[in-house]
Amino acid sequence: MNFHRMLAVSRKEVLQVVRDRRSLLIVLVMPLMLMTLLGYGVNLDTKHIRVYALDREGSPASQDLLKRFQSSEYFKLVAMVTDYRALHAALDDGRCQLAIVIPHDFSARLHDGRPVKVQALVDGSDANTAQIAIAYAQGVLAGYGAAIQAAFFRRSNAPAVNPSISIETRTWFNEDLESKNFIVPGVAAIVMAVVGTLLTSLTIAREWERGTMEQLISTPVTALELILGKLIPYFALGMFDTAICVSVAVWWFEVPFRGSIVTLAVGSGLFMTVILGLGFWISVITRDQLAASQIGLVAAFLPSMLLSGFTFPIDQMAVGIRPVTYIVAARYYIIILKGVFLRGNGLRVLAVPALALSLYTVLMVLLAKRSFHKSLV
């Protein structure tokens, strides 16, 4: 392999990128745009659930219970109503997601030590939010019940009865359970997949459409020199975009970074090589810029978004879909990103996804090399 010929091809590719405004927009603008849209748009935290309340008693005890909902960051007590009709209307037109009904004998039952049932009506059109709202409401009621019980024991001078079994939780790696901490690093994988595939899917197709492929074929440059010469500039641009995404994640979205830059660079380099090989292969087989960019976008974006574990847990997918996720390269890169950002894992812990990406890299390079021939047919 002649490095001078390879560098000459790389220099030619850099000039084409600099002269092509579309490529510059993909390199410079798209990463920031996708990081902003996905970083803010994809949020799994459920807070400020809109609540309407029907207090049929209006006692200090019932008002104290409603204040607990009001003081919680997960609920927003929007309005108090006086009858069921207004409550149903609010649920019907979406003004509230949760309706609380406090019975007329709330205080009397508490005073007598009898069970009290507080009704909660939940909008089930959004099943995920409904389940979360029910769990949060049960937590508020459990806290209120424990406070009432403790007050009863203090008044009666009776010894408090502690539960024989209790659970003490401590959250590791994402202490505040904020969804942005595991979503934003995954956005970097989506950005790299889209940008890398779009850029390289145009390389060979552009040469065919502009009629310059015949000149390249007539030169002494070999197929391997041509492939490497074309991919090296895009590899550098992809790693530059990765650095931008990581910087935005750490300094703008304040995602903790506990791992090693070296581990992140190795994982990113492997994933970028896979993506560039995929885009190059698409460009070779299509020979058309429009078709190549469309196929590249579908082949890179949809699997990375839906089947990599970025938005949906793979364990919760249908049994028939889970094996398909093993052929999505972004699955392994997202494991590396989460391990580096949140767990501070090194290459020893992340050996399995790194090895999978390595095998994927070899496969894509071989596929790109076998698909490209220096011929006009």
Side-chain angles (χ1 to χ4, degrees), residues 8 34 50 63 76 90 104 130 135 139 142 152 161 219 260 265 279 341 348:
L34 288 177
R50 298 186 302 277
Q63 290 297 310
K76 180 181 180 182
H104 60 85
F152 172 78
V161 179
T219 64
S260 163
F341 268 88
R348 181 180 299 178

Side-chain angles (χ1 to χ4, degrees), residues 307-309 314 322 325-326 328-336:
L307 300 177
S308 64
I314 294 175
R322 289 178 211 164
T325 63
Y326 286 100
V328 179
R331 168 192 173 126
Y332 307 105
Y333 185 48
I334 284 180
I335 294 175
I336 293 176

Side-chain angles (χ1 to χ4, degrees), residues 129-151:
T129 302
Q131 291 178 355
I132 294 174
I134 293 172
Y136 289 162
Q138 289 174 337
V140 171
L141 291 173
Y144 181 78
I148 292 294
Q149 189 180 42

Side-chain angles (χ1 to χ4, degrees), residues 13-292:
E13 202 64 27
V14 170
L15 289 175
Q16 284 189 341
V17 171
V18 172
R19 291 168 180 170
D20 187 359
R21 292 182 180 178
R22 294 173 300 176
S23 298
L24 286 177
L25 287 176
I26 292 174
V27 172
L28 301 176
V29 178
M30 186 173 284
L32 293 175
M33 185 182 71
L34 288 177
M35 283 293 289
T36 304
L37 289 177
L38 295 177
Y40 284 110
V42 182
N43 192 332
L44 302 181
D45 296 331
T46 303
K47 294 182 179 178
H48 310 299
I49 299 169
R50 298 186 302 277
V51 178
Y52 268 47
L54 171 57
D55 187 357
R56 303 182 67 183
E57 184 180 70
S59 66
S62 62
Q63 290 297 310
D64 185 35
L65 174 61
L66 292 178
K67 284 180 182 177
R68 286 178 177 266
F69 280 93
Q70 198 167 13
S71 61
S72 170
E73 63 175 337
Y74 301 109
F75 296 105
K76 180 181 180 182
L77 187 58
V78 178
M80 300 284 295
V81 296
T82 55
D83 54 44
Y84 265 107
R85 185 176 301 174
L87 211 59
H88 290 172
L91 278 170
D92 286 342
D93 58 24
R95 281 176 289 160
C96 74
Q97 298 157 291
L98 173 68
I100 300 293
V101 182
I102 300 178
H104 60 85
D105 55 351
F106 182 75
S107 300
R109 284 182 170 273
L110 283 179
H111 184 268
D112 297 341
R114 291 180 292 165
V116 183
K117 291 186 178 179
V118 175
Q119 187 179 24
L121 304 173
V122 187
D123 180 1
S125 58
D126 184 346
N128 185 54
T129 302
Q131 291 178 355
I132 294 174
I134 293 172
Y136 289 162
Q138 289 174 337
V140 171
L141 291 173
Y144 181 78
I148 292 294
Q149 189 180 42
F152 172 78
F153 285 128
R154 282 197 301 271
R155 285 196 305 270
S156 60
N157 293 323
V161 179
N162 294 322
S164 56
I165 301 177
S166 61
I167 183 169
E168 184 176 341
T169 59
R170 182 181 177 188
T171 306
W172 285 16
F173 311 129
N174 186 9
E175 292 79 4
D176 297 328
L177 295 177
E178 292 185 82
S179 62
K180 71 176 177 64
N181 287 346
F182 63 86
I183 286 178
V184 172
V187 173
I190 307 298
V191 171
M192 289 175 63
V194 173
V195 173
T197 310
L198 279 180
L199 285 175
T200 50
S201 64
L202 304 177
T203 53
I204 298 299
R206 182 167 49 207
E207 301 286 358
W208 283 112
E209 288 191 358
R210 292 180 177 176
T212 54
M213 180 55 76
E214 290 83 354
Q215 298 175 9
L216 279 176
I217 291 174
S218 63
T219 64
V221 64
T222 65
L224 182 60
E225 291 166 359
L226 187 62
I227 294 173
L228 293 178
K230 281 188 168 296
L231 292 187
I232 285 174
Y234 295 112
F235 182 85
L237 291 174
M239 296 303 287
F240 171 72
D241 284 342
T242 305
I244 291 178
C245 294
V246 172
S247 302
V248 171
V250 174
W251 283 296
W252 182 259
F253 288 101
E254 298 181 343
V255 176
F257 185 89
R258 301 185 175 111
S260 163
I261 292 289
V262 175
T263 306
L264 179 64
V266 170
S268 301
L270 291 172
F271 181 66
M272 181 53 65
T273 307
V274 173
I275 290 301
L276 296 182
L278 174 64
F280 187 87
W281 177 67
I282 293 173
S283 186
V284 169
I285 62 174
T286 57
R287 297 189 179 188
D288 180 86
Q289 290 193 72
L290 179 60

